[in-house]
Amino acid sequence: MKHRFKFVILLVLIFQGVVQAQERLIEKGNEEFESYSFSPAIDIYKRVLDKGYVSADLLKKLANSYYYNADYKEAAETYKHLVTDYSDDVSVEDYFKYAQSLKSLGDYDSSTQVMNKFIQLTKSDGRASAFNEDRDFMAEIEENSGRYNLGPFEYNSPYSDFAPSFYKEGLIFSSDRDTGNFARYRHTWNAKDFLDLYEVNADSSSIDHVKKLDENINTRYHESTSVVTKDGQTMYFTRNNSVKRKTVKDDKGIVRLKILRAVLTDEGVWGEVEELPFNSDSYSVANPALSPDEKILYFASDMPGTLGGSDLFMVTINEDRSFGTPENLGSNINTEARETFPFVTTEEILYFSSDGHPGLGGLDVFATNIKRKDFSGKVLNVGKPVNSNTDDFTFIFDEELRTGYVASNREEGMGYDDIYSFTETRPLVFDCLQKVNGTVRDKISNEVLIGATIKVIDDNNEELLSTTTDSDGNYTLELDCNKGNFVRALMEGYVPFEEYIGVSDGKPKIIDFYLERENITAGFGDDLSKLLQLSTIYFDFDKYNIRKDSEVEIEKVIAAMEKYPSLKLKVNAHTDSRGTEAYNLWLSDKRAESTVNYMIKEGISKDRLTSEGFGESELLNDCSDGVKCSAAQHDINRRSEFIIVE
């Protein structure tokens, strides 16, 4: 009995020792996990599981480690274990990552079931709202698919190659090939070598040759995701937070990422490497991209104000090379998950990668139109084959050539990540656009106004875009037909006029503007018909009633008298020489009187009008009695005048 008691005590002590060892091992695994060292964390958690110890917390961290390392098969199996055996401890984020992992494996039915559970638990999450909208996202993705011819990138290696950026006639890209680092310099996130920046085909000396950038750019830690200004003089790139070649960790032991700026020296090497002022030791700033005018820098960060794992931000680059305050691009683009790797085309289309917007699995490439810095437009998945059920990212595109590059970790690749070239065969159709065109004219003379400005103003009275009329007084605009806007016409010397266009079905619309002059320069004795450039006021042969085509011209005179209440006119009527002199005098008098009566009928006070007929007494050419003239020559003499008398 005594020996049995000692044996039991020994078993208890051994068990306690095993438990303590497992706890220390888990504690070490948690330290690796919290410091983003997912590869060693996976090794440790698997050792603990193999020894029969399991918990909800361990499964969560192991599944997340697989997820962040893009091992979606192991992630899905581990999340399934968690959901099946520890359902009370499963968070909404666990369900979301589980659904994403299943989608990456092509199991869309199971992914939808898990996503529905996610939606039940979080109604306010933007990802749930997007998934729950009355939109068939898979159908949209399918509609956007087939627009790219995907091809190889001949400079891939058996290692990790990604983050292409346009540079001179070639590319700069990131790779962990030939880093020259020993295993102790491997990155513990995925146990791969640290990344450096390389260039290829940038100039004649490097054609068909991959060349590592100089040591001012590359260190023994991570350098990746770059963008170079069009003049080739300034480069923005991402690097691990380090000082004097030593990494700097935050209070959680995490080495963050920062964006740096370098300038090309006269010797042709990159120098003056400096940190951007909004970097921080406590959060990451990475993946720079430039606007077409290079006045705005876009980037990804998890800085305060971030909605999810990482968000897209923008910051103004001032003329003195300083920076404004970073701004979040908002919840239409950013989700509670990851948005990263921005790229902006010359036509201001923002491409980025996300696992928060509905996609095919893993990170997918999405696009949205950000013209006029409007970030509220529809976000579209660019479809297959650019996107797959694995991670697809670092998309860049030359809109003039319709060619570009994208990186992916899909299985058929040569290395862990590979770059693919592509050609776009059909453009992506973005938000509903409504074509609006028309002509701007002088309201009184009907003369076209060349160089008039047409502005589009939103409901907050902010100008969205503007254009000017051409040599024919015409303009053309494209508006977002999902929003209401004011279209305003302006011209120096004229009163502005605008028309509101509400939400529409996108059908083309014609809006002609007739602007009123602020002032008409005229004096006593001037002929208003010349000032207003009136067309001939015709009467039927041998009649004096106002014809319909003449009413239009007289209405212009009426408009002027309504605008200027003190204006008084004398209407003079003239005939050609055909007919007797007495008859022409009588006919012209009746036509002048008829014109005045028409204007009085239309509301002009009769004390502002007088009339007189001059017959053929004031001919403008030599077509008098007995002189043979053409009909066109006689027409010159048949005229009406509106003489200013006050």
Side-chain angles (χ1 to χ4, degrees), residues 103 139 307:
K103 186 183 291 184
L307 303 178

Side-chain angles (χ1 to χ4, degrees), residues 127 307-311 331 333-339 354 356-357:
R127 293 166 295 178
L307 303 178
S310 62
D311 280 4
S331 59
I333 291 175
N334 294 314
T335 70
E336 289 81 353
R338 295 178 294 175
E339 279 69 45
S354 170
H357 293 277

